[in-house]
Amino acid sequence: MNRPIVTRFAPSPTGMLHIGGVRTALFCWLFARKHGGRFILRVEDTDLTRSTDDNIRIIEAGMAWCGLDWDEGPVAGEPSRWVGPHGPYRQMMRMDSHYKPAVQKLLDEGKAYRCRCTREDIEARRAAVEAAGKVFQYNRGLDAGKGCRDKGFNGSIPAAVRLKMPESGDIVLHDLIKGDIAFPADSLDDWIIARTPDGADGIGVPTYNFCVVVDDVDMEVTHVIRGDDHVNNTPKQIALYAAFGHDLPAFAHVPMILGADGAKLSKRHGATSITEYQAMGFLPSAIRLALARLSWTPKIDGRAVETAEEELLTDAEMIQLFDLADVQKSAARFDMAKLEWMNQKLIQRATWQEIEPHLAAFMPDAWKTKPDDWKAKAIQCTQKGKNLKEMAGFLEFCWAAPTEFDEKAVEKFMTDAIKPVLREVVALEDYAHDALEAAFNRILEAHGLKLKDLAQALRVALCGKPVSPPIFDTMALLGREEVAARVGKWV
C-alpha cells in the first residue's frame, strides 16, 4: 500500500464514551502516528432515536482529555464546523451530499433494488422459515423468490433499498489480527442499504453499514481498526466495496475487553466510561498506557517487555513500538489494580508542570491564584498519592482552617508536655526547609522529644487530623501567619 496511512475512530453518540472505544481509538491513533499518517474522528449518528448532541460533546471532550488529538474531524463544541478536506464529519450532515447519490448510483447500475416488502410480510415469512427449523434469509433459502430482487420496482411507492449480494462462493476477510475469515456468500441475504422513505420518489436514510463504506472511501481510509464486534458486518461491507469498484482497506479487528471475572466489561465491574476515570483522578497518560497494554504486547528488539520499568512506556515509545502484528487475538481482562499502579508510578515520574493542569480540576478556585512556586511545592510534596483526587485531598488543609478535629488524635498528641513546645514553634519566623529542620532539632533536643510527637501534634492543629504532607512542607504551604493562627488556638 503506497498511499499515506489514514485511520479513523467512528463512535456512535448513543451514550457515554466507553473505555473499549477509547482503546480502539488509541490503537488507531498510535498506528497513524507511527506511520506519519492521519487520524480522523468521525461521528456516526444515523441512530436518530439515541444519538444526541450532548453525547457528541462528551465524545469530543473525552477524546481531548485522553490526549487523542485528531487531524480531521469536528471542531469540539461547534457542530457546524470541522477541520479537514472531507467534511462534514457527522453522518447526518452527509445524507444529501454523499449517501443518497451513492445509493442512486447503485440503483442505476442494477446493483441494488427497491424492496416494497412490508415489515409484517417479512415477519410472517420469517416465522414460517423458523418453524421449519431453518434460519431466515431474505430472498434466500426457504424464502427464495419471495423477495423484490427481480421485480424492478421504481420509486413510485416508498420502498427500502437492498444491495444485491453475491449468491455463491466465499467472501473472505483478510484480517491483520485474526487472520483470514471466510463467509459463505449463500449465508448472507440482500441487506437494506437505505430505509423506507416517508414519501415516494425518494431514498430514505441510509443504514450504518452503507454509510461506513461511503465515508471510508471518501476519507481515503487505508486501515479500518475497530472492535471485533464488527467482524460480522465486514462481509456486507466487502461486497459493497466491490459493488462500487473500490479497493478494500486493510481490516484489523481488536478483541474485546473483559472484566476481571472474564465476562464482558460492564457496569457491574465498576467504571466503564472514560469520564468516570477522569473523575477518579487518573492521569490521561496512565489511561493511554493501561489501555494500550490490553491485548498488545510491545516488543523491544524482538523481545516482549518484561520488567516494571519497561512497562512504563512513554507516548513516544508506544508510537515507536506499536505494531498490529503484536496485538493478540484473544480478549483482554481489564486490571484495575494495574491501572492504579501505573497511575501512581506516572504521577511520581511526572514534573509538577505536567500534573498541574489535571490536578487543577480537583482544586477550589483559590488554586488558580497561587504562584507557580507554591503550586510546585504543593504537587511535589503530595506525589506519593495514588491519584489526583487523593493528592487534592492531601491539600484540603490549605484552603480553610479545620473546624472538626480527630478526637483520638487530640487525646493522643495534644498533651500538656507538647503545648509549651508548640508555643516555640509559633515563634519561628524562617520557614525555609533547612531553617525549620534546624529549629525543630534544637526545640526537640531541649525538651527531650521526638520529631513524630511534635509533627503529629502540629498536624492535628493545622489539619484537624494526624495526616498531611511532610510537616515542614505543610507549614511552608500555609505560611507563618496561618500556622501561628491555627496553632495559637491550642496554646
Side-chain angles (χ1 to χ4, degrees):
M1 185 175 292
N2 296 321
R3 292 184 290 159
I5 297 296
V6 180
T7 64
R8 50 74 166 174
F9 175 54
S12 176
T14 55
M16 307 298 281
L17 181 58
H18 192 276
I19 59 169
V22 176
R23 195 272 302 267
T24 298
L26 175 64
F27 281 12
C28 294
W29 184 83
L30 288 170
F31 191 79
R33 293 290 173 262
K34 175 172 183 174
H35 295 281
R38 303 196 318 274
F39 172 57
I40 298 172
L41 174 62
R42 187 175 76 219
V43 179
E44 299 188 339
D45 57 348
T46 55
D47 186 340
L48 302 181
T49 60
R50 299 170 60 210
S51 297
T52 68
D53 287 344
D54 283 344
N55 286 337
I56 291 174
R57 285 190 286 272
I58 288 170
I59 289 169
E60 293 169 345
M63 291 282 289
W65 177 79
C66 286
L68 302 180
D69 55 314
W70 53 93
D71 305 299
E72 296 183 34
V75 173
E78 300 185 49
S80 61
R81 295 184 59 213
W82 59 83
V83 176
H86 303 102
Y89 294 87
R90 283 181 63 170
Q91 286 187 333
M92 288 307 298
M93 297 173 68
R94 297 168 64 84
M95 286 292 156
D96 293 334
S97 59
H98 290 77
Y99 308 138
K100 291 184 180 181
V103 172
Q104 188 62 54
K105 180 177 186 294
L106 294 179
L107 285 170
D108 293 343
E109 294 176 353
K111 297 174 180 176
Y113 59 94
R114 297 183 186 276
C115 172
R116 293 182 180 179
C117 294
T118 64
R119 178 175 297 180
E120 292 76 15
D121 182 32
I122 292 177
E123 288 305 315
R125 284 149 50 190
R126 183 191 305 276
V129 169
E130 291 178 350
K134 302 291 184 180
V135 175
F136 177 77
Q137 297 170 271
Y138 181 87
N139 209 42
R140 304 280 180 96
L142 295 184
D143 194 55
K146 298 179 181 179
C148 300
R149 180 167 180 151
D150 301 315
K151 295 180 180 178
F153 289 131
N154 59 29
S156 60
I157 294 177
V161 178
R162 292 182 183 268
L163 181 70
K164 290 183 178 179
M165 290 286 285
E167 298 184 87
S168 61
D170 288 337
I171 297 176
V172 180
L173 163 62
H174 302 288
D175 195 281
L176 297 179
I177 295 173
K178 296 182 174 297
D180 287 356
I181 305 174
F183 299 86
D186 61 8
S187 69
L188 303 166
D189 53 7
D190 294 349
W191 54 282
I192 293 175
I193 62 175
R195 301 176 181 92
T196 303
D198 293 331
D201 296 320
I203 292 172
V205 175
T207 56
Y208 163 79
N209 280 307
F210 182 83
C211 297
V212 164
V213 171
V214 173
D215 286 342
D216 284 345
V217 170
D218 178 62
M219 296 176 188
E220 302 174 328
V221 172
T222 61
H223 290 72
V224 174
I225 303 170
R226 57 190 180 187
D228 62 5
D229 53 329
H230 287 283
V231 166
N232 288 333
N233 289 327
T234 311
K236 296 180 179 180
Q237 295 170 11
I238 290 174
L240 188 56
Y241 275 99
F244 281 128
H246 295 304
D247 293 336
L248 291 176
F251 290 99
H253 290 89
V254 300
M256 69 172 61
I257 301 174
L258 304 178
D261 59 357
K264 185 176 179 180
L265 192 67
S266 66
K267 275 300 218 180
R268 68 187 180 86
H269 295 106
T272 57
S273 76
I274 198 63
T275 51
E276 291 176 285
Y277 287 92
Q278 181 180 1
M280 286 190 288
F282 288 97
L283 286 174
S285 56
I287 295 294
R288 290 193 297 271
L289 179 58
L291 291 181
R293 292 305 316 278
L294 294 177
S295 297
W296 174 51
T297 303
K299 294 180 180 177
I300 300 174
D301 297 326
R303 174 185 56 80
V305 296
E306 297 174 348
T307 67
E309 288 299 309
E310 289 178 337
E311 280 197 289
L312 296 173
L313 299 169
T314 65
D315 283 345
E317 290 169 332
M318 284 197 290
I319 290 170
Q320 178 186 2
L321 296 174
F322 187 74
D323 192 331
L324 288 171
D326 296 328
V327 176
Q328 301 157 10
K329 298 178 183 179
S330 57
R333 297 197 182 196
F334 186 75
D335 187 340
M336 189 67 177
K338 187 68 170 289
L339 170 59
E340 291 172 342
W341 174 80
M342 288 179 172
N343 194 59
Q344 186 168 24
K345 288 294 184 182
L346 292 177
I347 285 175
Q348 292 170 358
R349 290 185 172 199
T351 65
W352 76 267
Q353 294 96 330
E354 291 169 332
I355 293 176
E356 195 279 331
H358 305 293
L359 181 62
F362 296 87
M363 292 300 191
D365 290 341
W367 174 266
K368 301 175 184 176
T369 67
K370 294 292 186 181
D372 283 351
D373 60 342
W374 190 95
K375 290 180 180 178
K377 180 179 289 293
I379 290 172
Q380 289 161 359
C381 71
T382 58
Q383 278 184 268
K384 290 184 179 180
K386 295 179 181 178
N387 55 60
L388 300 171
K389 193 173 182 179
E390 187 174 277
M391 291 174 66
F394 291 156
L395 296 170
E396 286 180 348
F397 71 91
C398 295
W399 317 118
T403 57
E404 297 181 358
F405 297 86
D406 184 323
E407 293 181 3
K408 291 183 179 180
V410 170
E411 182 180 354
K412 181 176 182 179
F413 299 113
M414 286 300 187
T415 63
D416 291 338
I418 206 70
K419 291 184 178 180
V421 184
L422 293 178
R423 292 192 190 97
E424 294 186 41
V425 173
V426 169
L428 298 177
E429 297 185 358
D430 190 346
Y431 270 42
H433 186 281
D434 290 346
L436 281 174
E437 185 175 20
F440 268 55
N441 287 337
R442 291 194 302 271
I443 293 170
L444 293 170
E445 185 176 355
H447 291 271
L449 296 172
K450 295 180 179 179
L451 176 59
K452 68 176 182 179
D453 300 319
L454 178 54
Q456 293 298 77
L458 281 169
R459 287 189 172 97
V460 172
L462 298 175
C463 308
K465 54 189 177 183
V467 178
S468 82
I471 193 61
F472 299 148
D473 292 325
T474 299
M475 294 173 66
L477 289 172
L478 286 173
R480 182 177 179 276
E481 290 185 6
E482 186 64 20
V483 169
R486 295 188 189 189
V487 177
K489 295 179 181 180
W490 294 88
V491 297

